[in-house]
Amino acid sequence: MLAPMLFTLKWVVGTIILILASSFALGHVARLAARLVGKSRTFQQRAFAGYAFAAPWIVGFVLFVVGPAALSLYWSFTRYSLPNAPTWIGLENYRRLLADSAFHVSLLNSLYMTIFGLPVQLAVGLGLALLLNQKLRAVRLFRMMFYLPVILAGNAAMLLTWRLMLNPNNGVINTILGFLSNALPPFQWLLRLTIYVTELSNAAFMGLQRGNFAALSNALGAGFPGPDRLPLWHQSPLWSKPALIVILAWSAGMMMVIYLAALNGVPRTLYEAAEVDGATAWQRFRHITLPLITPATFYNLVVGMIATLQIFEQSYILTRDGGPAQSTYFVAYYLWRATFRFNEIGYGAAMSWVLLVIILVCTAIQFQIANRWVYYEAQ
């Protein structure tokens, strides 16, 4: 029992010594650089203090971000399987990615979640923010309740709970949908229409993804769903991604907080002037609220896109290894699978760099387009 404690204590003491040593070293380097370029004594002291206090973050960033990233880039050009040493193979891993059909499936699945899941998450976040921006009793309690899923969303226990709730046979969600469907005939028709459209559209997507439209043919052949039909959620490849979109929408609390901050920044005088001119609530929302919260929308869009392209826990826990029929194979999951399950570290590293390039390109495109629709007050 004592040995693990001593081992931990050595690492703690070593970390503290490293932080202190790096702080003094970086501070002295900064002061020396300031002296060499002829700065005043006061400037040199400030440079020492500034870099000494920033050193723990700088050293941590170099050790835990820059270092691993550089190693990952090198490994992406190697054949590397532990415990063997990496062997240089040039662009072979990247050529293999071009021909890997499972990687293509994972890419398209990630794009599906970005194109369809992210707008739903944005809409839910904005809707909650508009609701909780009203003068309601116990509004702070409601804000906390809706933000809580952000903390719990990636929690394994919570995802297992979602798996039980989305069980097509006896899950609580289908139980509620079945009850509402029997009690309210209009709801039943709406649910059946939703099931029909969802299954057809996902079957068409699968056909485009794999070049085989058998699923679409089967969905068309089954016809309009009967009165007792309910969503099959994680048990069907036609419903597994919509099930994940439901979980994404449930965890829209962070977007809600950003939108709430933006809504509080909209000048009340604009609403008052619009009311005097006879503008309706929809017109005030359309022509005042939406344009003035576009910076928040842009931020949520960029951050949400990056997060959606890196979905992993939901796929791993909810649908058990990217199933059914590879319908929840996402890039981050496939990357983890290659690296840690099949010990192909070089191949996984190449995948991670391809994912990084995709994220950078998508983000750059968004920044270029942002000038056309994002309104900043200073402009």
Side-chain angles (χ1 to χ4, degrees):
M1 187 64 189
L2 192 61
M5 288 180 63
L6 283 175
F7 181 78
T8 307
L9 191 61
K10 285 178 184 175
W11 273 98
V12 170
V13 172
T15 305
I16 293 171
I17 292 173
L18 174 66
I19 290 172
L20 291 175
S22 60
S23 298
F24 278 103
L26 204 60
H28 278 294
V29 170
R31 184 163 58 187
L32 180 62
R35 187 187 304 164
L36 289 176
V37 296
K39 296 292 183 181
S40 66
R41 190 176 183 80
T42 305
F43 187 91
Q44 292 175 30
Q45 289 173 344
R46 287 178 179 174
F48 176 84
Y51 278 93
F53 280 109
W57 182 88
I58 295 172
V59 172
F61 181 74
V62 171
L63 284 180
F64 301 115
V65 178
V66 177
L71 282 174
S72 167
L73 182 60
Y74 168 68
W75 289 338
S76 72
F77 297 103
T78 65
R79 182 180 293 112
Y80 185 21
S81 299
L82 289 173
N84 303 316
T87 307
W88 183 266
I89 56 172
L91 295 172
E92 186 58 36
N93 285 328
Y94 293 96
R95 290 195 195 98
R96 184 180 160 190
L97 281 176
L98 289 175
D100 188 343
S101 60
F103 180 67
H104 301 161
V105 168
S106 69
L107 263 181
L108 290 171
N109 282 336
S110 297
L111 289 176
Y112 177 102
M113 292 300 291
T114 306
I115 293 171
F116 297 104
L118 184 55
V120 172
Q121 201 178 16
L122 283 169
V124 172
L126 177 58
L128 288 175
L130 289 170
L131 186 67
L132 297 179
N133 198 40
Q134 308 301 316
K135 292 179 181 176
L136 302 173
R137 191 174 287 180
V139 70
R140 291 182 179 177
L141 177 64
F142 286 118
R143 287 178 182 178
M144 186 196 71
M145 287 172 56
F146 285 113
Y147 184 76
L148 208 56
V150 177
I151 303 169
L152 301 174
N155 187 301
M158 187 53 64
L159 289 171
L160 286 172
T161 305
W162 267 106
R163 182 176 172 81
L164 293 174
M165 290 196 300
L166 289 169
N167 188 309
N169 299 318
N170 52 12
V172 65
I173 291 181
N174 270 9
T175 303
I176 293 172
L177 290 176
F179 172 77
L180 293 174
S181 181
N182 291 328
L184 305 169
F187 180 83
Q188 183 190 97
W189 279 101
L190 180 63
L191 180 63
R192 292 165 66 187
L193 181 63
T194 304
I195 291 173
Y196 192 56
V197 171
T198 303
E199 292 188 349
L200 283 184
S201 56
N202 280 283
F205 174 78
M206 283 178 62
L208 292 172
Q209 190 179 30
R210 299 170 185 181
N212 180 350
F213 289 91
L216 179 60
S217 177
N218 291 337
L220 286 169
F224 197 70
D228 297 330
R229 271 295 305 276
L230 291 169
L232 297 174
W233 300 120
H234 52 74
Q235 289 188 1
S236 165
L238 302 181
W239 279 96
S240 52
K241 285 190 280 292
L244 294 180
I245 290 175
V246 170
I247 298 177
L248 279 183
W250 172 73
S251 59
M254 180 57 76
M255 292 184 178
M256 175 197 75
V257 170
I258 302 296
Y259 273 128
L260 269 174
L263 288 172
N264 285 324
V266 178
R268 299 289 109 187
T269 51
L270 293 179
Y271 291 120
E272 292 167 2
E275 284 179 10
V276 170
D277 290 340
T280 62
W282 167 249
Q283 288 171 328
R284 293 197 296 275
F285 174 73
R286 169 71 181 81
H287 297 290
I288 298 175
T289 306
L290 272 184
L292 292 184
I293 63 170
T294 47
T297 302
F298 178 60
Y299 174 82
N300 283 334
L301 189 64
V302 172
V303 174
M305 183 207 69
I306 294 171
T308 308
L309 284 173
Q310 299 180 73
I311 285 180
F312 170 72
E313 296 94 344
Q314 294 88 339
S315 169
Y316 182 64
I317 296 174
L318 187 80
T319 60
R320 302 278 170 88
D321 284 356
Q326 296 186 335
S327 59
T328 57
Y329 256 41
F330 300 113
V331 178
Y333 170 77
Y334 193 52
L335 185 163
W336 170 87
R337 183 173 175 271
T339 305
F340 296 103
R341 181 167 292 176
F342 296 104
N343 198 18
E344 294 184 299
I345 298 172
Y347 191 51
M351 230 179 287
S352 68
W353 280 94
V354 170
L355 178 61
L356 174 66
V357 169
I358 291 172
I359 289 174
L360 288 177
V361 169
C362 292
T363 306
I365 291 171
Q366 286 184 333
F367 271 91
Q368 287 296 320
I369 298 174
N371 294 329
R372 301 179 185 176
W373 64 275
V374 179
Y375 169 79
Y376 293 102
E377 199 172 348
Q379 289 179 336

